[in-house]
Amino acid sequence: MLTKRIIPCLDIKDGRTVKGVNFVQLRDAGDPVELAKIYSDEGADELVFLDITATVDKRKTLAELVTKIAKAINIPFTVGGGISTVEDVKVLLNAGADKISINSAAVNNPQIINDMALEFGSQCVVVAIDTRNVDGIDFVHTHGGRKPTLLQTQAWAKEVCDRGAGEILLTSMDHDGTKGGFANEITAEISAMLSIPVIASGGAGNSEHFKDVFTFGKADAALAASIFHFKEIPIPGLKAYLNSEGISIRN
């Protein structure tokens, strides 16, 4: 079994880390640079930084904050929010990001996935998919989950893989912030379909949920926010538990 990854996520609004439930009811969760350093020191495998209002506010991700975080950590670092051009990617990679994450821009102009993969390599391009189940069908949402589309999630995941994305960050909006467990069914379905890694996001509430998403959900990585931000599950303890359960994890 390939080593599974644990990834804390910093959702950033106005320069602060925030966390909500089902993409709303945001509350402050602390200083992103301080949190990033803690996670790096605790043994997180990667860090994801999402400027959650960048697309909505029609402005670019805070490159200055990206630089500060990159200097504070020594683990791979993915940045998303408001990225829509090859030039945007160059700015963020120069600021210290290792990978970039796109969502709304990819839906609006799928060719941008091909262009970015060609320019920077597939390993640099993460496509985030925010999905919600509507009457039994999984649909993609954009603009921080505010805008439903007619794209079916599974078909879109296949397309972004075919276009050269190196990884998919799959967030279940129905599970986000609920702490009731990850969306294992759709995660497993998409993982089985694709040749690229799938990061599961949305719903982590305890250590068993991570075990479940790695086994039943077939995820390559699991991302969480509030349980780490509010010290409900320490990363070293989570990794020790997963190791004891036979999950291959980096120590």
Side-chain angles (χ1 to χ4, degrees), residues 123-136:
Q123 81 290 338
C124 185
V125 182
V126 180
V127 174
I129 300 177
D130 295 336
T131 182
R132 174 168 268 163
N133 191 282
V134 183
D135 298 327

PDB file of all heavy atoms in Angstrom, residues 123-136:
ATOM      1  N   GLN A 123       2.291  17.290 -11.807  1.00  0.00           N
ATOM      2  CA  GLN A 123       2.471  17.162 -10.357  1.00  0.00           C
ATOM      3  C   GLN A 123       2.193  18.466  -9.620  1.00  0.00           C
ATOM      4  O   GLN A 123       1.960  18.483  -8.413  1.00  0.00           O
ATOM      5  CB  GLN A 123       3.888  16.661 -10.027  1.00  0.00           C
ATOM      6  CG  GLN A 123       4.998  17.708 -10.030  1.00  0.00           C
ATOM      7  CD  GLN A 123       5.342  18.234 -11.426  1.00  0.00           C
ATOM      8  OE1 GLN A 123       5.070  17.577 -12.414  1.00  0.00           O
ATOM      9  NE2 GLN A 123       5.928  19.416 -11.492  1.00  0.00           N
ATOM     10  N   CYS A 124       2.167  19.560 -10.358  1.00  0.00           N
ATOM     11  CA  CYS A 124       1.950  20.884  -9.769  1.00  0.00           C
ATOM     12  C   CYS A 124       0.473  21.278  -9.741  1.00  0.00           C
ATOM     13  O   CYS A 124       0.095  22.226  -9.049  1.00  0.00           O
ATOM     14  CB  CYS A 124       2.749  21.899 -10.598  1.00  0.00           C
ATOM     15  SG  CYS A 124       2.722  23.553  -9.957  1.00  0.00           S
ATOM     16  N   VAL A 125      -0.362  20.560 -10.492  1.00  0.00           N
ATOM     17  CA  VAL A 125      -1.755  20.987 -10.700  1.00  0.00           C
ATOM     18  C   VAL A 125      -2.739  20.099  -9.929  1.00  0.00           C
ATOM     19  O   VAL A 125      -2.907  18.923 -10.227  1.00  0.00           O
ATOM     20  CB  VAL A 125      -2.114  20.971 -12.203  1.00  0.00           C
ATOM     21  CG1 VAL A 125      -3.536  21.472 -12.415  1.00  0.00           C
ATOM     22  CG2 VAL A 125      -1.117  21.814 -13.005  1.00  0.00           C
ATOM     23  N   VAL A 126      -3.362  20.691  -8.920  1.00  0.00           N
ATOM     24  CA  VAL A 126      -4.415  20.016  -8.154  1.00  0.00           C
ATOM     25  C   VAL A 126      -5.748  20.640  -8.571  1.00  0.00           C
ATOM     26  O   VAL A 126      -5.890  21.866  -8.553  1.00  0.00           O
ATOM     27  CB  VAL A 126      -4.211  20.215  -6.635  1.00  0.00           C
ATOM     28  CG1 VAL A 126      -5.321  19.510  -5.851  1.00  0.00           C
ATOM     29  CG2 VAL A 126      -2.838  19.718  -6.198  1.00  0.00           C
ATOM     30  N   VAL A 127      -6.700  19.815  -8.958  1.00  0.00           N
ATOM     31  CA  VAL A 127      -8.035  20.346  -9.245  1.00  0.00           C
ATOM     32  C   VAL A 127      -8.935  20.029  -8.055  1.00  0.00           C
ATOM     33  O   VAL A 127      -9.101  18.866  -7.681  1.00  0.00           O
ATOM     34  CB  VAL A 127      -8.623  19.779 -10.550  1.00  0.00           C
ATOM     35  CG1 VAL A 127     -10.069  20.244 -10.722  1.00  0.00           C
ATOM     36  CG2 VAL A 127      -7.793  20.242 -11.742  1.00  0.00           C
ATOM     37  N   ALA A 128      -9.460  21.091  -7.449  1.00  0.00           N
ATOM     38  CA  ALA A 128     -10.388  20.937  -6.322  1.00  0.00           C
ATOM     39  C   ALA A 128     -11.800  20.781  -6.872  1.00  0.00           C
ATOM     40  O   ALA A 128     -12.214  21.525  -7.764  1.00  0.00           O
ATOM     41  CB  ALA A 128     -10.301  22.155  -5.414  1.00  0.00           C
ATOM     42  N   ILE A 129     -12.508  19.801  -6.345  1.00  0.00           N
ATOM     43  CA  ILE A 129     -13.898  19.579  -6.742  1.00  0.00           C
ATOM     44  C   ILE A 129     -14.763  19.645  -5.492  1.00  0.00           C
ATOM     45  O   ILE A 129     -14.614  18.817  -4.580  1.00  0.00           O
ATOM     46  CB  ILE A 129     -14.079  18.208  -7.435  1.00  0.00           C
ATOM     47  CG1 ILE A 129     -13.211  18.115  -8.695  1.00  0.00           C
ATOM     48  CG2 ILE A 129     -15.540  17.977  -7.772  1.00  0.00           C
ATOM     49  CD1 ILE A 129     -13.272  16.762  -9.394  1.00  0.00           C
ATOM     50  N   ASP A 130     -15.622  20.651  -5.434  1.00  0.00           N
ATOM     51  CA  ASP A 130     -16.588  20.761  -4.342  1.00  0.00           C
ATOM     52  C   ASP A 130     -17.882  20.124  -4.830  1.00  0.00           C
ATOM     53  O   ASP A 130     -18.493  20.596  -5.792  1.00  0.00           O
ATOM     54  CB  ASP A 130     -16.825  22.231  -3.975  1.00  0.00           C
ATOM     55  CG  ASP A 130     -15.574  22.896  -3.411  1.00  0.00           C
ATOM     56  OD1 ASP A 130     -14.703  22.177  -2.888  1.00  0.00           O
ATOM     57  OD2 ASP A 130     -15.465  24.131  -3.502  1.00  0.00           O
ATOM     58  N   THR A 131     -18.305  19.049  -4.162  1.00  0.00           N
ATOM     59  CA  THR A 131     -19.441  18.280  -4.646  1.00  0.00           C
ATOM     60  C   THR A 131     -20.575  18.259  -3.628  1.00  0.00           C
ATOM     61  O   THR A 131     -20.338  18.232  -2.418  1.00  0.00           O
ATOM     62  CB  THR A 131     -19.019  16.835  -5.000  1.00  0.00           C
ATOM     63  OG1 THR A 131     -20.133  16.120  -5.522  1.00  0.00           O
ATOM     64  CG2 THR A 131     -18.473  16.094  -3.795  1.00  0.00           C
ATOM     65  N   ARG A 132     -21.790  18.279  -4.153  1.00  0.00           N
ATOM     66  CA  ARG A 132     -22.983  18.169  -3.296  1.00  0.00           C
ATOM     67  C   ARG A 132     -23.963  17.229  -3.974  1.00  0.00           C
ATOM     68  O   ARG A 132     -24.145  17.274  -5.186  1.00  0.00           O
ATOM     69  CB  ARG A 132     -23.607  19.546  -3.078  1.00  0.00           C
ATOM     70  CG  ARG A 132     -24.928  19.498  -2.307  1.00  0.00           C
ATOM     71  CD  ARG A 132     -25.362  20.890  -1.854  1.00  0.00           C
ATOM     72  NE  ARG A 132     -24.860  21.154  -0.517  1.00  0.00           N
ATOM     73  CZ  ARG A 132     -24.772  22.360   0.028  1.00  0.00           C
ATOM     74  NH1 ARG A 132     -25.104  23.427  -0.665  1.00  0.00           N
ATOM     75  NH2 ARG A 132     -24.344  22.511   1.254  1.00  0.00           N
ATOM     76  N   ASN A 133     -24.590  16.379  -3.175  1.00  0.00           N
ATOM     77  CA  ASN A 133     -25.570  15.443  -3.714  1.00  0.00           C
ATOM     78  C   ASN A 133     -26.943  16.109  -3.769  1.00  0.00           C
ATOM     79  O   ASN A 133     -27.445  16.607  -2.765  1.00  0.00           O
ATOM     80  CB  ASN A 133     -25.622  14.177  -2.853  1.00  0.00           C
ATOM     81  CG  ASN A 133     -26.424  13.070  -3.509  1.00  0.00           C
ATOM     82  OD1 ASN A 133     -27.645  13.091  -3.487  1.00  0.00           O
ATOM     83  ND2 ASN A 133     -25.725  12.112  -4.100  1.00  0.00           N
ATOM     84  N   VAL A 134     -27.510  16.149  -4.965  1.00  0.00           N
ATOM     85  CA  VAL A 134     -28.825  16.756  -5.171  1.00  0.00           C
ATOM     86  C   VAL A 134     -29.742  15.696  -5.783  1.00  0.00           C
ATOM     87  O   VAL A 134     -29.513  15.245  -6.913  1.00  0.00           O
ATOM     88  CB  VAL A 134     -28.738  17.994  -6.105  1.00  0.00           C
ATOM     89  CG1 VAL A 134     -30.108  18.647  -6.252  1.00  0.00           C
ATOM     90  CG2 VAL A 134     -27.716  18.998  -5.582  1.00  0.00           C
ATOM     91  N   ASP A 135     -30.724  15.270  -5.015  1.00  0.00           N
ATOM     92  CA  ASP A 135     -31.676  14.243  -5.488  1.00  0.00           C
ATOM     93  C   ASP A 135     -30.975  12.996  -6.017  1.00  0.00           C
ATOM     94  O   ASP A 135     -31.326  12.454  -7.065  1.00  0.00           O
ATOM     95  CB  ASP A 135     -32.596  14.824  -6.574  1.00  0.00           C
ATOM     96  CG  ASP A 135     -33.452  15.971  -6.053  1.00  0.00           C
ATOM     97  OD1 ASP A 135     -33.813  15.924  -4.862  1.00  0.00           O
ATOM     98  OD2 ASP A 135     -33.732  16.903  -6.824  1.00  0.00           O
ATOM     99  N   GLY A 136     -29.941  12.581  -5.286  1.00  0.00           N
ATOM    100  CA  GLY A 136     -29.252  11.339  -5.630  1.00  0.00           C
ATOM    101  C   GLY A 136     -28.170  11.458  -6.682  1.00  0.00           C
ATOM    102  O   GLY A 136     -27.532  10.476  -7.032  1.00  0.00           O
TER     103      GLY A 136
END
